[in-house]
Amino acid sequence: MEFYSPDSWREALEVKAAHPDAVPIFGGTDVMVDLNFDRERPGGVLDLTRVPEIQEWGHDNGRLRVGAGVTYTRIIAELGEELPGLAMASRTVGSPQIRNRGTVGGNLGTASPAGDALPPLYASDAEVELVSTGGTRRIPVTEFITGPKRNTMRPDELIAAFLIPKAEGPQQYSKIGTRNAMVIAVCAFGLVLHPEQRKVGACLGSAAPTPVRAREAEEFIEGVLEWDSREEIGESALGRFGELVGEAASPISDVRGTAAYRTHAVSVLARRTLKWAWDEYRRGE
Ligand SMILES: Cc1cc2nc3c(=O)[nH]c(=O)nc-3n(C[C@H](O)[C@H](O)[C@H](O)COP(=O)(O)OP(=O)(O)OC[C@H]3O[C@@H](n4cnc5c(N)ncnc54)[C@H](O)[C@@H]3O)c2cc1C
């Protein structure tokens, strides 16, 4: 197996163009598991950890542009204020060791329906920046992920970054697992409030073949919330929001949980996170 270790982004793109079968690796927290279990025998491995360009984040036309190689630990420490939902999700990933190595770029590359970084990206209409020696394209994350562990990245492309608006209001992320830490989500839910636009973004994780936006639930609750008077949300509206989120689920039954449990649990998460986020908005935080 060839091992490529470029020092710059340009060189990494040239290696990928010349060796499209080389598997990119950053934290290796998914790739190494596959190699160790012999699930994958690639012709080459393309180590991106020496490429400084993808380990930076900054502002890009009013949004944040976060390099594919920014680890969960750094997202929590450096972007907790601007991306609270993604930081909450990052805190639930694995253990400190996994968060020190693992990246959102790797979560996108794996495209698991249970990837914890994905619901916050979906709920905020994030875009993925894909680059090859031929050029750059930015596509909505909803179009980037096409199925369980499938995405639209071409063999000559690499993920450079994701682009995401910074929080304009409260955000939440909640996850159910079979224990409190080091756990793949049984189901999860990400929520963002946009008070200025009177909009809500809601995304289910691990409850369908890909993360999925709960569009009907969003529209329903946007029509109910009293953004100016900041009135409390009634129990029946919270219940209906949860129900509509449950209807957006199309989960499977597996070792982690049954389809019926996932549908029920994700609607409970939706109700709770909406209450927490709205109460935060009411308090003016
Ligand atoms: C013990 C353990 C616990 C875990 N817990 C969680 C958890 O709670 N939640 C969760 O969501 N995940 C969890 N994971 C999975 C994993 O940590 C995450 O998916 C993580 O985000 C992967 O990031 P990475 O940088 O390590 O990716 P890698 O393993 O390096 O790569 C993952 C995939 O992305 C591709 N890739 C990486 N970078 C790029 C790039 N720049 N361009 C193109 N392709 C790229 C790789 O080729 C590969 O297909 C866990 C893993 C382990 C081993």
Side-chain angles (χ1 to χ4, degrees):
M1 192 187 293
E2 291 297 322
F3 187 76
Y4 307 99
S5 193
D7 296 320
S8 72
W9 184 233
R10 177 98 306 247
E11 203 191 323
L13 295 172
E14 281 164 7
V15 172
K16 193 68 175 123
H19 307 280
D21 64 333
V23 170
I25 185 168
F26 195 91
T29 59
D30 281 323
V31 172
M32 289 313 298
V33 176
D34 284 345
L35 291 183
N36 288 341
F37 280 97
D38 227 357
R39 289 187 202 129
E40 202 174 9
R41 277 283 127 194
V45 173
L46 171 55
D47 172 27
L48 296 172
T49 55
R50 291 167 189 268
V51 175
E53 291 92 329
I54 58 167
Q55 299 179 53
E56 296 163 359
W57 62 265
H59 296 91
D60 181 294
N61 278 328
R63 290 189 293 181
L64 285 163
R65 181 180 175 282
V66 184
V70 175
T71 61
Y72 293 113
T73 298
R74 287 186 53 206
I75 286 175
I76 296 163
E78 299 168 27
L79 289 165
E81 294 268 303
E82 286 166 298
L83 301 174
L86 183 61
M88 279 182 203
S90 301
R91 279 186 206 104
T92 77
V93 173
S95 60
Q97 294 89 335
I98 297 294
R99 295 193 287 273
N100 284 342
R101 299 286 311 176
T103 60
V104 175
N107 217 228
L108 286 163
T110 297
S112 160
D116 282 307
L118 305 179
L121 263 53
Y122 272 63
S124 290
D125 293 312
E127 284 187 329
V128 181
E129 186 178 304
L130 298 165
V131 183
S132 70
T133 49
T136 298
R137 59 184 180 125
R138 289 176 171 181
I139 54 172
V141 65
T142 46
E143 286 169 31
F144 175 71
I145 294 178
T146 52
K149 304 211 168 174
R150 286 203 303 274
N151 62 49
T152 53
M153 189 163 42
R154 292 195 312 256
D156 64 338
E157 284 180 322
L158 291 171
I159 305 167
F162 62 95
L163 293 111
I164 187 167
K166 60 178 185 181
E168 296 152 3
Q171 301 190 341
Q172 278 293 335
Y173 182 77
S174 200
K175 162 176 170 181
I176 290 184
T178 47
R179 56 185 182 187
N180 264 346
M182 282 290 278
V183 77
I184 301 174
V186 173
C187 65
F189 187 72
L191 182 80
V192 304
L193 300 188
H194 302 284
E196 274 174 31
Q197 302 160 49
R198 282 41 186 153
K199 289 273 176 203
V200 173
C203 180
L204 297 76
S206 211
T210 65
V212 2
R213 280 287 285 267
R215 302 277 182 193
E216 276 187 41
E218 291 174 2
E219 278 167 30
F220 162 74
I221 205 67
E222 283 164 7
V224 168
L225 295 174
E226 297 287 352
W227 298 96
D228 291 324
S229 60
R230 302 187 187 218
E231 266 167 49
E232 206 170 338
I233 318 176
E235 281 303 317
S236 69
L238 284 172
R240 182 70 189 136
F241 180 70
E243 237 170 61
L244 289 170
V245 166
E247 284 173 20
S250 47
I252 52 166
S253 295
D254 65 9
V255 285
R256 285 179 278 137
T258 63
Y261 176 72
R262 285 190 158 104
T263 304
H264 169 73
V266 83
S267 63
V268 174
L269 294 185
R271 255 184 4 234
R272 287 186 189 160
T273 51
L274 176 62
K275 173 119 180 65
W276 295 333
W278 185 252
D279 284 349
E280 190 181 325
Y281 176 66
R282 293 183 73 217
R283 291 193 302 269
E285 287 170 7

